[in-house]
Coordinates of all heavy atoms in Angstrom, one line a residue:
E50 N 3.3 21.2 1.8 CA 4.7 20.8 1.5 C 5.0 19.5 2.2 O 5.7 18.7 1.6 CB 5.6 21.9 2.1 CG 5.6 23.2 1.3 CD 6.1 23.0 -0.1 OE1 7.1 22.3 -0.3 OE2 5.4 23.4 -1.1
M51 N 4.5 19.3 3.4 CA 4.8 18.0 4.0 C 4.2 16.8 3.2 O 4.8 15.7 3.1 CB 4.1 18.0 5.4 CG 4.9 18.8 6.5 SD 4.0 18.7 8.1 CE 5.2 19.5 9.1
G52 N 3.0 17.1 2.6 CA 2.3 16.0 1.9 C 3.1 15.5 0.7 O 3.1 14.3 0.3
K53 N 3.9 16.4 0.1 CA 4.7 16.0 -1.1 C 5.7 14.9 -0.7 O 6.0 14.0 -1.5 CB 5.4 17.2 -1.6 CG 4.5 18.3 -2.2 CD 5.4 19.5 -2.6 CE 4.5 20.6 -3.1 NZ 5.2 21.9 -3.5
G54 N 6.2 15.0 0.5 CA 7.2 14.0 0.9 C 6.6 12.7 1.3 O 7.3 11.7 1.5
L55 N 5.3 12.6 1.4 CA 4.6 11.3 1.8 C 4.3 10.5 0.6 O 4.1 9.3 0.7 CB 3.3 11.6 2.5 CG 3.4 12.1 4.0 CD1 2.0 12.4 4.6 CD2 4.2 11.2 4.8
I56 N 4.1 11.1 -0.6 CA 3.7 10.4 -1.8 C 4.6 9.2 -2.0 O 5.9 9.3 -2.1 CB 3.6 11.3 -3.0 CG1 2.8 12.5 -2.7 CG2 3.1 10.5 -4.2 CD1 1.4 12.2 -2.3
G57 N 4.0 8.0 -2.2 CA 4.8 6.8 -2.5 C 5.2 6.0 -1.3 O 5.7 4.9 -1.4
K58 N 5.0 6.6 -0.1 CA 5.5 5.9 1.1 C 4.4 4.9 1.6 O 3.2 5.1 1.3 CB 5.8 6.9 2.2 CG 7.1 7.6 2.0 CD 7.5 8.5 3.2 CE 8.8 9.2 2.9 NZ 9.3 10.0 4.1
N59 N 4.8 3.9 2.4 CA 3.8 3.0 3.0 C 3.3 3.6 4.3 O 4.0 3.9 5.2 CB 4.5 1.7 3.3 CG 3.6 0.6 3.8 OD1 2.5 0.9 4.3 ND2 4.0 -0.6 3.7
P60 N 2.0 3.9 4.4 CA 1.4 4.6 5.5 C 1.4 3.8 6.8 O 1.3 4.3 7.9 CB -0.1 4.9 5.1 CG -0.4 3.8 4.1 CD 0.9 3.6 3.4
L61 N 1.6 2.5 6.7 CA 1.7 1.6 7.8 C 3.1 1.8 8.6 O 3.2 1.5 9.7 CB 1.6 0.1 7.5 CG 0.3 -0.2 6.7 CD1 0.3 -1.7 6.4 CD2 -0.9 0.2 7.4
H62 N 4.0 2.4 7.9 CA 5.3 2.7 8.5 C 5.2 4.1 9.0 O 5.8 5.1 8.5 CB 6.4 2.6 7.5 CG 6.6 1.2 6.8 ND1 7.3 1.0 5.7 CD2 6.0 0.0 7.2 CE1 7.2 -0.3 5.4 NE2 6.4 -0.9 6.3
I63 N 4.5 4.3 10.1 CA 4.1 5.6 10.6 C 5.4 6.4 11.0 O 5.6 7.6 10.7 CB 3.2 5.5 11.8 CG1 1.8 4.9 11.4 CG2 3.0 6.9 12.5 CD1 0.9 4.6 12.5
K64 N 6.3 5.8 11.8 CA 7.5 6.5 12.2 C 8.3 6.9 11.0 O 8.9 8.0 11.0 CB 8.3 5.6 13.1 CG 7.7 5.3 14.5 CD 7.6 6.6 15.3 CE 7.1 6.3 16.7 NZ 6.9 7.5 17.5
E65 N 8.4 6.0 10.0 CA 9.2 6.4 8.8 C 8.5 7.6 8.0 O 9.3 8.4 7.5 CB 9.3 5.2 7.9 CG 10.1 5.4 6.6 CD 11.6 5.7 6.9 OE1 12.1 5.2 8.0 OE2 12.2 6.4 6.1
C66 N 7.2 7.6 8.0 CA 6.5 8.7 7.3 C 6.8 10.0 8.0 O 6.8 11.1 7.3 CB 5.0 8.4 7.3 SG 4.6 7.1 6.1
T67 N 6.9 10.0 9.3 CA 7.1 11.3 10.0 C 8.5 11.6 10.5 O 8.7 12.6 11.2 CB 6.1 11.4 11.2 OG1 6.4 10.3 12.1 CG2 4.6 11.3 10.7
K68 N 9.4 10.7 10.2 CA 10.8 10.7 10.7 C 11.4 12.1 10.4 O 12.0 12.7 11.3 CB 11.6 9.6 10.2 CG 13.0 9.6 10.7 CD 13.8 8.4 10.1 CE 15.2 8.4 10.6 NZ 16.0 7.2 10.0
A69 N 11.4 12.5 9.2 CA 12.0 13.7 8.8 C 11.4 14.9 9.5 O 12.1 15.9 9.8 CB 12.0 13.9 7.2
L70 N 10.1 14.9 9.7 CA 9.5 16.0 10.4 C 9.7 16.1 11.8 O 9.7 17.2 12.4 CB 8.0 15.9 10.1 CG 7.6 15.6 8.7 CD1 6.1 15.4 8.6 CD2 8.0 16.8 7.8
R71 N 10.0 14.9 12.5 CA 10.3 14.9 13.9 C 11.8 15.2 14.2 O 12.2 15.4 15.3 CB 9.9 13.6 14.5 CG 8.5 13.3 14.5 CD 8.1 11.9 15.1 NE 6.7 11.6 14.9 CZ 5.8 12.0 15.8 NH1 6.1 12.6 16.9 NH2 4.5 11.6 15.6
A72 N 12.6 15.2 13.1 CA 14.1 15.2 13.3 C 14.7 16.6 13.6 O 15.8 16.7 14.0 CB 14.8 14.5 12.1
W73 N 13.9 17.6 13.3 CA 14.5 18.9 13.4 C 14.8 19.3 14.8 O 14.1 19.1 15.7 CB 13.4 20.0 12.9 CG 13.3 20.0 11.4 CD1 12.3 19.4 10.7 CD2 14.1 20.7 10.5 NE1 12.4 19.6 9.4 CE2 13.5 20.4 9.2 CE3 15.2 21.5 10.5 CZ2 14.0 20.9 8.0 CZ3 15.7 22.0 9.4 CH2 15.2 21.7 8.1
S74 N 16.0 19.7 15.0 CA 16.5 20.1 16.4 C 16.7 21.6 16.5 O 16.6 22.2 17.5 CB 17.7 19.4 16.8 OG 18.8 19.6 15.9
Y75 N 17.2 22.2 15.3 CA 17.4 23.7 15.3 C 17.2 24.2 13.9 O 17.7 23.7 13.0 CB 18.8 24.0 15.8 CG 19.0 25.5 15.9 CD1 18.7 26.2 17.0 CD2 19.6 26.2 14.8 CE1 18.8 27.6 17.1 CE2 19.7 27.6 14.8 CZ 19.4 28.3 16.0 OH 19.5 29.6 16.1
P76 N 16.3 25.2 13.7 CA 15.5 25.8 14.8 C 14.4 24.9 15.3 O 14.1 23.9 14.6 CB 14.9 27.0 14.1 CG 14.8 26.6 12.6 CD 16.1 25.8 12.4
T77 N 13.9 25.1 16.5 CA 13.0 24.2 17.2 C 11.6 24.3 16.6 O 10.7 24.9 17.2 CB 13.0 24.4 18.7 OG1 14.4 24.6 19.1 CG2 12.4 23.2 19.4
L78 N 11.4 23.7 15.4 CA 10.1 23.8 14.7 C 9.0 23.2 15.5 O 7.9 23.7 15.4 CB 10.2 23.2 13.4 CG 11.2 23.9 12.4 CD1 11.2 23.1 11.1 CD2 10.8 25.3 12.1
R79 N 9.3 22.2 16.3 CA 8.2 21.5 17.0 C 7.5 22.5 18.0 O 6.4 22.2 18.4 CB 8.8 20.3 17.8 CG 9.1 19.1 16.9 CD 7.9 18.4 16.4 NE 7.0 18.0 17.5 CZ 7.2 16.9 18.2 NH1 8.2 16.1 18.0 NH2 6.3 16.6 19.1

Side-chain angles (χ1 to χ4, degrees):
E50 287 301 310
M51 287 181 171
K53 295 175 184 178
L55 287 181
I56 305 303
K58 290 187 176 180
N59 186 338
L61 305 181
H62 301 167
I63 296 175
K64 293 293 186 181
E65 182 62 29
C66 286
T67 59
K68 180 179 178 180
L70 309 176
R71 296 179 185 273
W73 287 96
S74 58
Y75 183 85
T77 316
L78 295 178
R79 285 289 303 280

